[in-house]
């Protein structure tokens, strides 16, 4: 039976399993994504949690007097102002680890699709061009012999690196703190890494420190044989510079799962033959999204029952 003394606010859309499971425990208050809308005072006072996929407007944090926890759908929580939440004594949780394998698998697929153009080759077949015009052209790029640099060797970055080992590429990484017990080449800056490798994979969070760090200086350092893969956050890329770099041959190709202003993908990308584009699907399988949804709910229920959460973000640490 749901406990109607507790209500959870859900702004905008979220995975249906979150709602199905949550409604067995608490009352759900569904509101549109964006700035706070009118909520009856009696109901507002019962809202102790938020489940969010996307951007949580700070107005909700300020206007809900009894809010205790924000449970974010996704490991990346750039849509939640954790500083503001911490100021209000609110715990923020996210969904780490349960998606590592899926996102790493997608990254390898995106890398291969970008260098070997498999989606385009399939279209060649589907459009009857193999039969009518002949074989798909040889791809100028190959994964063989590449030097790969990973920006962000965290939970997902490590899984990407492990998957790349059997491909016999050289592996390096840049993070702010060097990782203990890791044999891959460490570069002390993104620029140094871009100069040393011909393939850059980004899997860093969207933060002030990563905002537009991939700019023309980095693309020039990567060079004309360079391949750029982004599965982290689109905000880490200066898209004007990336589009120019792809157009004028500063780099050879890019594979992108994330964009600066989703879902508004810049039309220039669609015109670029050397860009391989995915609509932010790295974790988007039924089993992985179900596991993420369960973690969103389990964090909320654990908090309401025992003041314990499974996966708090580091900015709002609490007892597990
Ligand atoms: P994580 O375990 O926290 O790893 C993040 C890594 O990035 C760490 O190695 C961290 O090392 C590094 N990093 C952070 N800020 C940096 C900076 N300014 N410069 C250089 N390195 C920096 O996170 P994760 O679970 O692997 O997830 C990473 C991100 O991937 C998420 O935050 C999310 O944005 C994105 N993601 C995307 C999808 C998708 O669908 N495309 C799915 C899942 C996740 P240091 O702290 O030592 O610098
Ligand atoms: C999700 C992601 O697609 O976990 C993340 O950080 O980017 C993806 O797994 C996204 O969070 C769902 O809104």
């Amino acid at each position: 039976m749901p406990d109607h003394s507790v209500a959870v606010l859900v702004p905008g859309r979220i995975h249906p399993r979150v709602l199905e499971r949550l409604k067995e425990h608490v009352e759900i208050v569904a509101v549109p994504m964006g700035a706070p809308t009118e909520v009856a005072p009696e109901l507002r006072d019962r809202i102790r949690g938020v489940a969010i996929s996307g951007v949580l407007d700070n107005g909700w944090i300020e206007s809900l007097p009894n809010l205790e926890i924000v449970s974010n759908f996704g490991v990346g929580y750039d849509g939640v102002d954790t500083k503001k939440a911490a100021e209000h004594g609110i715990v923020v949780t996210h969904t780490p680890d349960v998606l590592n394998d899926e996102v790493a698998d997608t990254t390898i697929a995106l890398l291969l699709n970008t260098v070997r153009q498999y989606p385009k080759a399939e279209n060649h077949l589907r459009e009857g061009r193999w039969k009518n015009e002949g074989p798909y052209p040889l791809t100028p790029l190959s994964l063989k012999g590449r030097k790969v640099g990973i920006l962000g060797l965290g939970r997902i970055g490590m899984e990407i690196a492990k998957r790349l080992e059997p491909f016999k590429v050289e592996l390096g990484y840049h993070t702010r703190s060097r990782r203990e017990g890791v044999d891959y080449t460490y570069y002390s800056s993104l620029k140094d890494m871009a100069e040393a490798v011909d393939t850059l994979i980004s899997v860093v969070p969207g933060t002030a420190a990563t905002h537009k760090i991939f700019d023309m200086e980095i693309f020039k350092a990567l060079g004309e044989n360079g391949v750029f893969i982004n599965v982290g956050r689109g905000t880490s890329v200066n898209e004007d510079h990336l589009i120019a770099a792809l157009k004028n041959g500063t780099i050879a190709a890019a594979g992108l799962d994330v964009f600066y202003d989703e879902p508004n993908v810049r039309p220039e990308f669609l015109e670029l033959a050397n860009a391989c584009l995915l609509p932010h699907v790295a974790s988007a399988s039924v089993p992985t999204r179900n596991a993420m949804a369960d973690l969103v709910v389990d964090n909320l229920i654990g908090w309401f029952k025992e003041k314990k959460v499974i996966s708090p973000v580091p900015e709002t640490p609490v007892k597990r």
Side-chain angles (χ1 to χ4, degrees):
M1 275 293 285
D3 173 1
H4 282 287
S5 68
V6 180
V8 169
L9 187 86
V10 183
R13 285 160 58 157
I14 201 157
H15 192 294
R17 188 179 176 101
V18 173
L19 303 176
E20 275 158 33
R21 282 201 52 209
L22 261 187
K23 73 179 183 212
E24 287 168 17
H25 300 271
V26 296
E27 184 172 351
I28 292 172
V29 183
V31 294
M33 184 66 97
T37 46
E38 195 68 25
V39 178
E42 179 278 325
L43 181 56
R44 186 197 60 199
D45 291 352
R46 280 192 288 122
I47 296 175
R48 287 172 52 201
V50 169
I52 182 80
S53 178
V55 179
L56 176 65
D57 190 281
N58 268 347
W60 285 117
I61 293 181
E62 274 151 6
S63 64
L64 296 172
N66 298 318
L67 184 59
E68 297 167 11
I69 177 168
V70 172
S71 186
N72 182 65
F73 185 93
V75 65
Y77 48 92
D78 40 298
V80 180
D81 185 340
T82 51
K83 192 164 173 278
K84 175 77 68 189
E87 281 164 14
H88 284 72
I90 293 163
V91 175
V92 179
T93 64
H94 64 148
T95 62
D97 293 319
V98 293
L99 41 52
N100 292 351
D101 289 327
E102 204 73 73
V103 177
D105 290 350
T106 307
T107 309
I108 303 302
L110 183 57
L111 173 61
L112 282 167
N113 283 347
T114 304
V115 291
R116 297 298 323 286
Q117 306 178 359
Y118 296 129
K120 284 199 209 143
E122 182 172 349
N123 282 342
H124 186 81
L125 178 156
R126 285 179 182 276
E127 290 160 9
R129 295 169 62 196
W130 185 17
K131 194 171 169 209
N132 297 329
E133 297 169 24
Y136 186 74
L138 307 185
T139 61
L141 304 177
S142 166
L143 186 60
K144 197 171 161 54
R146 282 198 167 262
K147 293 184 181 175
V148 180
I150 302 177
L151 182 73
L153 200 69
R155 291 171 290 245
I156 300 170
M158 269 307 289
E159 289 300 328
I160 295 170
K162 281 193 240 163
R163 279 161 177 71
L164 280 171
E165 283 183 21
F167 285 94
K168 298 181 278 188
V169 293
E170 280 183 39
L171 280 168
Y173 72 101
H174 168 64
T175 48
R176 290 162 302 177
S177 343
R178 190 179 185 147
R179 282 196 64 146
E180 297 289 329
V182 165
D183 288 339
Y184 311 129
T185 309
Y186 178 71
Y187 298 98
S188 57
S189 74
L190 172 59
K191 173 88 182 295
D192 285 355
M193 181 162 78
E195 271 163 359
V197 303
D198 55 28
T199 307
L200 276 180
I201 297 177
S202 179
V203 61
V204 279
T207 62
T210 62
H211 189 252
K212 293 193 179 178
I213 45 174
F214 288 96
D215 58 10
M216 193 52 88
E217 190 190 12
I218 299 300
F219 297 130
K220 278 187 178 155
L222 185 58
E224 62 185 14
N225 189 34
V227 172
F228 172 59
I229 303 294
N230 192 8
V231 292
R233 280 291 181 266
T235 51
S236 66
V237 177
N238 181 322
E239 291 188 340
D240 284 336
H241 292 194
L242 176 57
I243 288 163
L246 287 167
K247 264 189 189 160
N248 65 24
T250 303
I251 65 169
L256 309 171
D257 183 51
V258 287
F259 299 87
Y260 195 90
D261 177 25
E262 296 174 4
N264 305 307
V265 176
R266 294 266 301 265
E268 295 98 316
F269 282 124
L270 309 183
E271 304 295 320
L272 285 164
N274 52 353
C276 191
L277 311 172
L278 292 177
H280 202 145
V281 292
S283 67
S285 72
V286 169
T288 295
R289 287 285 171 88
N290 280 348
M292 292 165 67
D294 282 341
L295 194 43
V296 168
V297 175
D298 292 341
N299 274 314
L300 286 165
I301 301 309
W303 180 259
F304 296 136
K305 281 197 173 146
E306 309 176 83
K307 289 275 185 288
K308 279 187 182 165
V309 291
I310 299 161
S311 45
V313 304
E315 293 87 340
T316 64
V318 282
K319 212 167 48 176
R320 283 164 192 249

